[in-house]
Amino acid sequence: MTSSVVISGSGLWKPAHSISNEELVTAYNAYATRFNQQHEIAIENGELDSKPLSSAEFIEKASGIKSRHVYVKDGILDIDRMRPKIPVRSEEQLSDQAEMAIHAAKEALKSANKTAADIDVVIVSCAYTQRSYPALAIEVQGALGIKGFAFDMLVACSAATFALHRAYEMIAAGTAKRVLVINPELTTPQINFRDRDSHFIFGDVATAMVIENSATADSEHIFEILSTKAVTQYSNNIRSNFGYVSQANDVDPFAAENLFHQEGRKVFKEVCPMAVEHISEHLQRHHLGANNVSRWWLHQANINMNTLISRRLLDRQPTLQEAPIVLDTFANTASAGSIIAFHLHHQDLQSGDIGLLCSFGAGYSIGSLVLKKQ
């Protein structure tokens, strides 16, 4: 039998801390009320816009999110701060994201029945890295005792699937034996918790996967990667402008325009049809239709977006078993969302079942993998 490239293990790490919609709204509304009172005259004169109040019901209806895990809860709900208070670590200590990554990596290795000695490539792929260099992937590689090489990838919310594509290509080409892909999504430092329309969107988490040749895979749950597909199309509707050039621009690197912000309605309107077309074309490559897919592990950004995309693909409302939702308790975890869905909802599939893993986000970028349970 001809060997193939497979996913042989996955891992998930979530922080111990979480914040409910109610907690988030209480803090935000207290801040907004105080802001409106302090700037009452300027608001009346049209010099400033008042801060609208929010509600837990608004958040859940707009996104499907009920709560989110956060790496550090301290500081986020303090209306005088409204950002996580993460203690500075010395350069000799393990970085925050590396620590997150290692937790998920160890679980993925255990799931795949592999040790660090079996891995020869590490890819850390996520929406944000906490520093430019040395690469987080190399730090993780060193901490785990892995030989070979490692590198970071940044492709916003498609970072995980794009990294899986690179891993697939390396295994298929024979330039690597086993690749460990890790997604330590530390998103909360880039959230503007003073913005009603975006303060609830993101959560922190880390995921990981082991990719190898089927000839060496011996884990309980193995998924063959039948193919990969990616597309990018430039859009200005999702941005995070924070960067080292801010110092040379003489601007506040932490101003609202440099934190995460988006034109949510435009994103919804433009990404949904783009994702439907992308997925349909990918399935057609294998002479498959949407009804041949047993499990949809879709990007977890917005429940309304997921529902619309899967409904257009299936011509009906998907069941939660077919298209599992994890964003209700994890929120949008950038590139990790579809991997969380896979990790929590793959063991029940039978040999021969087809699944589709897909992420979409800023860029715009879309990455997908057609998988077959072995």
Side-chain angles (χ1 to χ4, degrees), residues 13-325:
W13 177 81
K14 57 186 180 183
H17 309 290
S18 65
I19 297 178
S20 67
N21 287 349
E22 289 76 11
E23 289 178 286
L24 205 59
V25 165
T26 296
Y28 169 78
N29 282 350
Y31 157 76
T33 299
R34 186 178 68 176
F35 178 93
N36 293 340
Q37 291 173 344
Q38 291 176 338
H39 301 89
E40 183 177 3
I41 296 176
I43 291 171
E44 288 179 353
N45 292 336
E47 299 168 3
L48 280 178
D49 292 329
S50 63
K51 297 288 185 182
L53 299 184
S54 189
S55 69
E57 294 75 20
F58 161 76
I59 293 174
E60 187 172 351
K61 182 178 180 180
S63 65
I65 296 169
K66 299 178 182 178
S67 63
R68 70 282 298 144
H69 294 278
V70 294
Y71 182 63
V72 170
K73 187 172 182 176
D74 184 30
I76 292 175
L77 303 178
D78 179 354
I79 66 171
D80 293 319
R81 180 180 176 87
M82 300 193 80
R83 63 185 187 276
K85 190 172 184 179
I86 301 175
V88 175
R89 296 187 178 187
S90 71
E91 293 186 356
E92 288 70 38
Q93 291 178 290
L94 196 66
S95 67
D96 296 287
Q97 273 185 295
E99 181 178 317
M100 294 171 64
I102 288 169
H103 286 305
K106 287 181 176 179
E107 184 174 353
L109 289 170
K110 182 179 180 181
S111 171
N113 287 329
K114 296 294 182 290
T115 67
D118 297 313
I119 305 297
D120 49 6
V121 179
V122 177
I123 306 175
V124 166
S125 54
C126 46
Y128 304 99
T129 52
Q130 68 182 97
R131 65 166 185 265
S132 297
Y133 48 80
L136 286 166
I138 300 176
E139 181 182 12
V140 171
Q141 175 194 14
L144 290 174
I146 293 173
K147 305 298 182 181
F149 66 94
F151 60 92
D152 293 345
M153 281 184 65
L154 298 178
V155 200
C157 289
S158 295
T161 50
F162 275 49
L164 290 171
H165 292 183
R166 304 291 79 75
Y168 168 84
E169 292 163 355
M170 283 189 277
I171 301 298
T175 57
K177 294 181 179 179
R178 299 177 192 89
V179 182
L180 177 61
V181 173
I182 320 173
N183 324 110
E185 291 292 7
L186 182 55
T187 63
T188 48
Q190 266 285 297
I191 298 175
N192 182 0
F193 285 100
R194 294 184 172 91
D195 176 31
R196 188 199 69 154
D197 293 334
S198 65
H199 73 124
F200 59 85
I201 293 178
F202 290 102
D204 300 324
V205 78
T207 54
M209 281 185 162
V210 174
I211 299 86
E212 60 180 311
N213 192 291
S214 60
T216 62
D218 62 354
S219 58
E220 183 178 0
H221 300 283
I222 298 171
F223 286 80
E224 179 185 357
I225 302 175
L226 297 182
S227 69
T228 66
K229 180 177 172 61
V231 65
T232 55
Q233 176 181 305
Y234 184 73
S235 169
N236 213 28
N237 290 329
I238 310 174
R239 291 190 70 96
S240 181
N241 295 320
F242 178 83
Y244 75 99
V245 180
S246 296
Q247 178 178 235
N249 294 150
D250 295 330
V251 299
D252 178 4
F254 309 111
E257 60 269 21
N258 286 329
L259 301 177
F260 169 85
H261 57 281
Q262 67 173 349
E263 296 286 343
R265 290 181 178 84
K266 290 182 179 180
V267 172
F268 189 94
K269 182 179 180 181
E270 295 172 3
V271 169
C272 286
M274 186 177 171
V276 170
E277 179 182 13
H278 175 95
I279 293 170
S280 297
E281 290 178 354
H282 196 176
L283 292 174
Q284 288 169 11
R285 185 188 301 176
H286 299 279
H287 305 289
L288 296 170
N291 289 323
N292 299 120
V293 178
S294 299
R295 189 64 43 83
W296 303 88
W297 300 292
L298 298 179
H299 179 55
Q300 302 285 313
N302 183 291
I303 194 170
N304 301 308
M305 180 177 286
N306 283 28
T307 299
L308 178 60
I309 290 170
S310 50
R311 191 168 60 226
R312 287 187 177 179
L313 288 165
L314 291 164
D315 291 324
R316 60 178 172 81
Q317 184 75 19
T319 67
L320 289 177
Q321 184 178 17
E322 290 174 306
I325 297 294

Side-chain angles (χ1 to χ4, degrees), residues 339-362:
I339 312 301
I340 299 172
F342 174 90
H343 178 80
L344 297 177
H345 300 278
H346 74 274
Q347 296 186 3
D348 62 315
L349 293 183
Q350 303 301 307
S351 178
D353 283 349
I354 299 294
L356 184 125
L357 181 70
C358 184
S359 59
F360 30 88

